[in-house]
Every structure is written in C-alpha cells, then in structure tokens.
C-alpha cells in the first residue's frame, strides 16, 4: 500500500487461525507509539508512574492509554483525523478493549482481538481502516518534490515538507 509492504495475519504461532487479526505494515516511524484502551489496571499502573501521554482531547485521553517516545511527535501525529481513525478501529465490531496500535522500529501493527476470517466484508472494512490509519500516522507523501516559499506555508498553516496541518500557526512540524 503506497509502496509500504503489508501483511494480514490471523491467530498466533501458538493458536493459528485463532481469535485475532493483525495488519502489519513495514513502515518504521522515527519515534514509537502505542495506543490501547485504558483499563482499570492501567489506572493503578499510572499511580506508579506508567506513562500516559495526554493529547488535549478529554474523551480520547480518558478512553486510551497513550505511550511513546518523543511525546512531541506522539501529540503531533495524533491529530483529529488520526484520533478518529483510532476510535473507529477501537469500536470495530464491538470489540471495545481488544485492540491496540503499535508503531516503532519493527513497523506498524494494528491488532484486533476478533477473528474476521469468515466474514470477507468485515475483514475488508478492517483492512481499509488499518490502511487509513497507516496513512494518517505516516502523513502525506507527495508524488514528487514541490518547492514552496515559506510565506505560502505560513498562509496555508501546513508543513511545507509533509503537508501536516499546523493548526493555522507558524511552528515546527512534529512529524518532520
């Protein structure tokens, strides 16, 4: 997908065809990210110092445990569109607490604790959501190189390198 190799895997080595599906992208971001539903156990772990990055979206921050390195990159990459895509994956098929998103040196993995092998339309829908999420996390990839004057970037409020929205402010892009 977009020149990024992708694998769809069912089950685990110990339970082939088991009750899960993973979409694995061979895209390695410069930082790490993990997003998973926040559980009561996570609440206790946070009392003892477990990282939980806040992205200034009360509903999202309450619902998910967000971890990663470069907190600045994590906040930048979890823009409203990416948060919406994660919420769609989290709500997929009523699975609620049975998903997670991991991005780092081994690539991007989107895990769903539900077997979709028998339902081609739901599997297709999940893979499409995973692709949308990968594209959101990776950012815009232009077909070629376009040189833009700095003034046009300030006017559009987008990063001149990756086209990431900068919320209308002139600042350094967290993705680049």
């Amino acid at each position: 997908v977009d020149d990024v190799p992708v694998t769809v895997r069912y089950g685990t080595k110990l339970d082939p065809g088991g009750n899960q599906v993973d979409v694995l992208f061979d895209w390695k971001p410069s930082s790490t990210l993990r997003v998973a539903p926040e559980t009561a156990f996570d609440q206790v772990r946070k009392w003892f110092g477990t990282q939980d990055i806040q992205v200034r979206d009360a509903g999202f921050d309450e619902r998910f445990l967000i971890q990663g390195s470069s907190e600045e990159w994590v906040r930048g990459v979890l823009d409203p569109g990416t948060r919406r895509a994660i919420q769609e994956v989290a709500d997929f098929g009523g699975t609620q607490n049975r998903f997670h998103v991991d991005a780092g040196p081994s690539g991007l993995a989107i895990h769903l604790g539900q077997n979709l092998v028998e339902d081609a339309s739901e599997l297709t829908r999940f893979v499409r959501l995973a692709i949308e999420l990968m594209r959101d996390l990776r950012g815009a990839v232009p077909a070629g190189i376009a040189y833009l004057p700095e003034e046009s970037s300030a006017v559009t409020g987008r990063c001149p390198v990756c086209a990431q929205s900068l919320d209308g402010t002139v600042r350094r892009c967290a993705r680049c």
Side-chain angles (χ1 to χ4, degrees):
V1 176
D2 300 337
D3 294 323
V4 175
V6 61
T7 302
V8 178
R9 180 178 67 193
Y10 308 97
T12 64
K13 287 181 182 178
L14 298 176
D15 183 20
N19 198 25
Q20 69 181 43
V21 62
D22 296 296
V23 181
L24 309 168
F25 295 93
D26 190 18
W27 167 72
K28 297 164 180 71
S30 59
S31 296
T32 62
L33 171 69
R34 179 173 177 84
V35 179
E38 188 166 309
T39 64
F41 182 66
D42 292 324
Q43 293 286 337
V44 172
R45 290 176 50 215
K46 286 187 339 185
W47 289 341
F48 294 100
T50 291
Q51 181 187 41
D52 186 15
I53 300 169
Q54 303 298 300
V55 294
R56 298 175 197 95
D57 175 337
F60 195 86
D61 288 335
E62 221 174 88
R63 185 172 179 193
F64 300 107
L65 181 69
I66 305 164
Q67 299 174 311
S69 65
S70 171
E71 289 189 18
E72 179 184 347
W73 178 80
V74 169
R75 285 188 189 95
V77 78
L78 291 178
D79 62 21
T82 306
R83 292 193 307 266
R84 183 198 47 75
I86 289 172
Q87 288 174 328
E88 284 188 50
V89 171
D91 294 338
F92 191 88
T95 56
Q96 289 301 320
N97 293 328
R98 296 175 29 211
F99 94 100
H100 61 262
V101 175
D102 286 304
S106 60
L108 171 63
I110 301 165
H111 169 83
L112 181 69
Q114 181 177 346
N115 190 340
L116 303 174
V117 151
E118 303 297 325
D119 190 339
S121 65
E122 285 296 279
L123 177 60
T124 300
R125 188 168 76 90
F126 178 68
V127 169
R128 285 187 177 144
L129 282 172
I131 290 168
E132 178 184 345
L133 181 54
M134 184 272 299
R135 287 176 172 155
D136 285 346
L137 289 169
R138 190 173 73 153
V141 178
I145 298 173
Y147 294 94
L148 302 172
E150 290 180 48
E151 298 81 21
S152 69
S153 300
V155 171
T156 64
R158 296 195 168 279
C159 173
V161 176
C162 71
Q164 169 70 24
S165 172
L166 300 177
D167 302 320
T169 60
V170 179
R171 63 178 171 85
R172 184 170 184 261
C173 177
R175 285 189 181 174
C176 296

